[in-house]
Amino acid sequence: MDDEVRRAEFEELARGLVEPLRRFLLRRTDPATADDVLADTLLVCWRRADQIPAEALPWAYGVARNCLANAERGERRQRRLAAKVASAGVPDVVPDPAEGSGDEAVTAALAALRPPDAELLRLWAWEQLGPGEIATVLGITPNAASIRLHRARQKLADELRKVDGRVGHEESREGRRP
Amino acid sequence: MTDTHDFDRDDELRARLRAADPAASLGPADPERVARLLEDTMSHDTETQVPERRTGTRGRNPLTWLVAAAAVLVIGGVGVFTLTGSPDDDSAPPVAENGTGSSDGPEPVVISLRAPTGASGRCMVPNAEVLAQQQVAFAGTVDEISDGTVVLTPTTTYAGDEADRVEVVQPSEEMTQLIGAVDFQVGETYLVSATDGQVTVCGFSGPATPELEQLYTDAFGG
């Protein structure tokens, strides 16, 4: 009986989480890995259903982030092993999720930042999170999230000025895709 | 606002970033696949991570026992230390030092930790439940060891503030032998956890072996 209630509750909650989690992962990895990690993430959520806070999504992003990090560590290990076993190796090229996304200056500027700074900005702009929610995802204090977000924004703005200075005038401003 | 670029206004910067969102043109997931995914998820046993199970040993990874056995051997009944903090602990949790907050300087974020000092207690079996309670946990590579301080660059942060650098006061040799404090070597990668600025010992922190990685993964939601 309890089990049924638990399942029903989780299903309702998880239905709301799947789509944002899927997007979160597709922004950060290739589609196949995103699929795997989405399943891992949901499994962790299911097993920790009792610990899911009222505001579930930032917490779930945090879980997805850890699952993705694990998947990538495992993948790196496998690649190292594969490289040892077969000299032919496996393709090392991981498709860049940001590839072909329109504003190349932004892509270039993000790539020039320290990875933690770039991730803060993605969480802020792509997942549309505020500092408090970002803090939940990253497991840091809201204060730290706020300070780092502020700095990351400034660094991105600086990078954009540099990048735009180099290529900005070659492109038509109207060329930006919706 | 007279500048040619107006990036200081957050809205514009956010809008520009959003325009580069690779998922912007993504259609919604197939509802049937989502239903199947959820069904698969809920077909798994949920009993494996009951939070109250403090003393139970059900489902423990056999490797954990191996680590535990090693820890017991190391201790040899001589040095006994607890992970859960010494009674005279008046130290604040480690907080990343990153300046005065609003300053713009690029000074690195540094976390300072130390090896445990003598305290009474006993080693417990390394387990994910206790590890999950640590305030700081990260994987990092030792860049240098000088003047008794080990400097690590974190590669993965499991818990606590993200830092550019973590400094650990190097444990003395006898501590390393007595309680399994970490014997840091330059260039090697370690998994380190700490609470109240004190690095965990007894097998909770150590070289990044697959077994220890698994323990950290279990503890921090991987």
Side-chain angles (χ1 to χ4, degrees), chain A residues 10 17-18 21-22 25 29 32-49 59-75, chain B residues 37-38 40-42 44-45 49 214 217 220-222:
Chain A
F10 180 78
L17 296 177
V18 168
L21 285 173
R22 175 174 160 262
L25 291 166
T29 187
T33 308
D35 266 1
D36 288 350
V37 176
L38 178 60
D40 293 348
T41 305
L42 287 171
L43 188 56
V44 172
C45 291
W46 168 238
R47 287 186 163 158
R48 297 194 175 171
W59 181 88
Y61 281 146
V63 173
R65 185 170 175 268
N66 285 334
C67 288
L68 181 60
N70 287 330
E72 286 176 343
R73 268 201 299 277
E75 199 182 312
Chain B
L37 183 61
L38 291 180
D40 284 352
T41 302
M42 292 188 293
H44 284 83
D45 184 15
Q49 292 201 6
Q214 187 60 50
T217 302
F220 299 105

Side-chain angles (χ1 to χ4, degrees), chain A residues 6-8 10-11 14-15 18-19 22-23 26-27 35 38-39 42-44 46-48 50-51 62-63 65-67 69-70 73 77 97-98 101-103 105-107 110 114 116 121-126 128-130 138-141 144 147-148 150-151 153-154 156-157 160-161 164 173 176-177, chain B residues 3 5-8 10-11 13-31 33-35 37-46 48-49 51 96 98-107 109 139 156-164 210 213 217-222:
Chain A
R6 187 186 148 95
R7 288 174 72 90
F10 180 78
E11 192 165 350
R15 277 193 187 285
V18 168
E19 192 59 40
R22 175 174 160 262
R23 286 169 177 269
L26 283 168
R27 285 168 179 137
D35 266 1
L38 178 60
L42 287 171
L43 188 56
V44 172
W46 168 238
R47 287 186 163 158
R48 297 194 175 171
D50 301 339
Q51 301 166 32
V63 173
R65 185 170 175 268
N66 285 334
C67 288
N70 287 330
R73 268 201 299 277
R77 256 206 307 272
S101 55
D103 193 340
V106 171
T107 308
L110 269 180
R114 263 170 17 107
L121 291 168
R122 287 188 206 104
L123 289 168
W124 174 63
W126 292 354
Q128 301 268 297
L129 302 181
L138 300 179
I140 59 178
T141 65
I147 293 165
R148 285 184 209 172
H150 177 72
R151 286 187 190 167
R153 277 197 298 252
Q154 288 184 331
L156 181 70
L160 277 173
R161 283 191 196 96
D164 283 350
R173 287 273 164 201
R176 208 176 72 176
R177 279 194 252 150
Chain B
D3 198 359
H5 291 291
D6 208 7
F7 295 136
D8 294 335
D10 291 348
D11 290 351
L13 194 63
R14 200 176 198 176
R16 197 164 167 194
L17 270 169
R18 285 209 81 191
D21 179 0
S25 55
L26 204 64
D30 175 10
R33 280 191 66 189
V34 172
L37 183 61
L38 291 180
E39 202 45 53
D40 284 352
T41 302
M42 292 188 293
S43 69
H44 284 83
D45 184 15
T46 60
T48 48
Q49 292 201 6
N98 52 2
T100 52
S102 58
S103 75
D104 305 330
E107 73 268 62
V109 179
T156 306
T157 303
Y158 294 96
D161 286 347
E162 281 188 22
D164 300 291
E213 262 183 22
T217 302
D218 290 346
F220 299 105

Side-chain angles (χ1 to χ4, degrees), chain A residues 55-113:
Chain A
E55 226 194 311
L57 188 57
W59 181 88
Y61 281 146
V63 173
R65 185 170 175 268
N66 285 334
C67 288
L68 181 60
N70 287 330
E72 286 176 343
R73 268 201 299 277
E75 199 182 312
R76 276 201 300 275
R77 256 206 307 272
Q78 274 174 357
R79 267 211 300 268
R80 279 201 299 271
L81 193 65
K84 273 185 200 167
V85 173
S87 55
V90 289
D92 260 338
V93 183
V94 177
D96 180 358
E99 214 170 76
S101 55
D103 193 340
E104 279 165 28
V106 171
T107 308
L110 269 180
L113 295 182

Side-chain angles (χ1 to χ4, degrees), chain B residues 53-170:
Chain B
R53 189 172 53 79
R54 287 280 175 116
T55 51
T57 53
R58 208 152 32 101
R60 188 161 280 156
N61 185 331
L63 285 167
T64 311
W65 291 112
L66 200 66
V67 175
V72 168
L73 282 176
V74 167
I75 299 153
V78 183
V80 276
F81 288 83
T82 180
L83 279 164
T84 45
S86 48
D88 59 342
D89 226 339
D90 54 359
S91 49
V95 176
E97 298 158 15
N98 52 2
T100 52
S102 58
S103 75
D104 305 330
E107 73 268 62
V109 179
V110 179
I111 292 178
S112 295
L113 304 173
R114 62 188 186 282
T117 50
S120 62
R122 59 191 180 84
C123 259
M124 65 177 78
V125 177
N127 63 81
E129 282 90 351
V130 171
L131 185 57
Q133 293 163 17
Q134 304 305 312
Q135 293 164 348
V136 173
F138 66 95
T141 306
V142 176
D143 289 330
E144 59 168 312
I145 301 176
S146 63
D147 293 338
T149 300
V150 183
V151 179
L152 296 107
T153 301
T155 49
T156 306
T157 303
Y158 294 96
D161 286 347
E162 281 188 22
D164 300 291
R165 204 167 75 217
V166 179
E167 296 176 356
V168 184
V169 177
Q170 194 172 24

